[in-house]
Amino acid sequence: MKRKSFIHAFSGFFEGNRKKNSTPVRIKAREIDFQRAEIFLDDMYSLTGEDPDNLISVASLVQMLYEDFLLQIRSHYQTEEMIKRLLEKRSVHHRHLTVESEEDWIDMKWSALEIDMKRQLALRGEVFLQDLRLADSKFKMTLHELISILFWDFIIEVRKGNQRNLIKLLLSRMRDWD
């Protein structure tokens, strides 16, 4: 019987780790907001004349929003300001999502979108949030919540009618990432 080499014996270990290069992240929003994002993406491709088969998904859009956020905090990161800003955003979004009556709650269809995010990107967010927790022990936020807030902010801008500016920004970002 042939004996396996040391490197060969661990190749299965490394293969298993390669499969763990993504982390599931769950974004919670109203179903209508996910639909609004799909319509936005369709409009983006209609305006640009791109082939509809090249459409990015809502999951890809969410990842792009998150990656853009990570780029922004690298250049404009001040701990106290960031904590305040994120807590304000969470508060505003919770107020918008608060319902007046049980009937309103029933009419709102909530949904969750689970995306597989690159592990390194998820880790950057987790480390960022942990740094904020270390700076202020009262601050608590999950990566899921942070990414949901980023998505909600985007949807609010879409609802305000800023689609053209958002399309230009996304196309610019997509060119930068190529």
Side-chain angles (χ1 to χ4, degrees), residues 11-175:
S11 66
F13 172 78
F14 292 115
E15 284 297 317
N17 281 343
R18 277 192 211 125
K19 293 176 186 173
K20 295 179 184 178
N21 284 339
S22 66
T23 300
V25 177
R26 182 175 295 223
I27 296 95
K28 292 182 182 179
R30 295 177 307 172
E31 195 172 292
I32 190 74
D33 293 333
F34 289 121
Q35 293 167 351
R36 192 178 314 275
E38 286 181 32
I39 291 168
F40 170 84
L41 292 171
D42 188 52
D43 289 348
M44 182 174 86
Y45 283 95
S46 292
L47 287 172
T48 61
E50 290 286 329
D51 182 357
D53 291 336
N54 294 333
L55 286 172
I56 63 171
S57 65
V58 173
S60 298
L61 172 66
V62 169
Q63 283 201 138
M64 289 173 67
L65 295 171
Y66 176 64
E67 287 183 47
D68 189 54
F69 173 78
L70 291 175
L71 286 173
Q72 288 178 25
I73 63 171
R74 284 183 188 162
S75 59
H76 306 296
Y77 176 65
Q78 294 178 357
T79 307
E80 295 81 22
E81 182 183 316
M82 189 58 66
I83 290 170
K84 181 180 176 187
R85 191 168 137 213
L86 287 174
L87 291 176
E88 284 174 357
K89 285 181 179 283
R90 178 168 56 192
S91 176
V92 166
H93 292 297
H94 282 293
R95 268 185 280 160
H96 283 309
L97 301 175
T98 303
V99 291
E100 297 295 322
S101 69
E102 196 171 311
E103 289 173 3
D104 292 337
W105 180 255
I106 291 168
D107 289 340
M108 269 193 212
K109 293 181 181 174
W110 290 91
S111 190
L113 174 66
E114 191 163 301
I115 62 173
D116 287 326
M117 183 171 287
K118 294 175 190 171
R119 187 168 184 274
Q120 276 64 24
L121 286 175
L123 284 174
R124 286 182 190 277
E126 292 288 353
V127 168
F128 166 72
L129 291 171
Q130 183 60 32
D131 287 346
L132 296 181
R133 280 185 214 113
L134 291 172
D136 182 347
S137 62
K138 294 176 189 169
F139 178 82
K140 293 189 182 7
M141 185 175 286
T142 65
L143 183 61
H144 307 284
E145 192 173 18
L146 171 65
I147 296 173
S148 292
I149 287 171
L150 297 174
F151 178 71
W152 293 334
D153 278 350
F154 177 81
I155 292 300
I156 286 171
E157 290 301 312
V158 170
R159 288 180 60 203
K160 286 180 182 177
N162 294 328
Q163 289 92 330
R164 287 199 183 270
N165 291 335
L166 292 170
I167 288 170
K168 287 178 188 176
L169 181 66
L170 279 174
L171 291 173
S172 170
R173 295 287 192 255
M174 289 169 73
R175 278 187 218 101

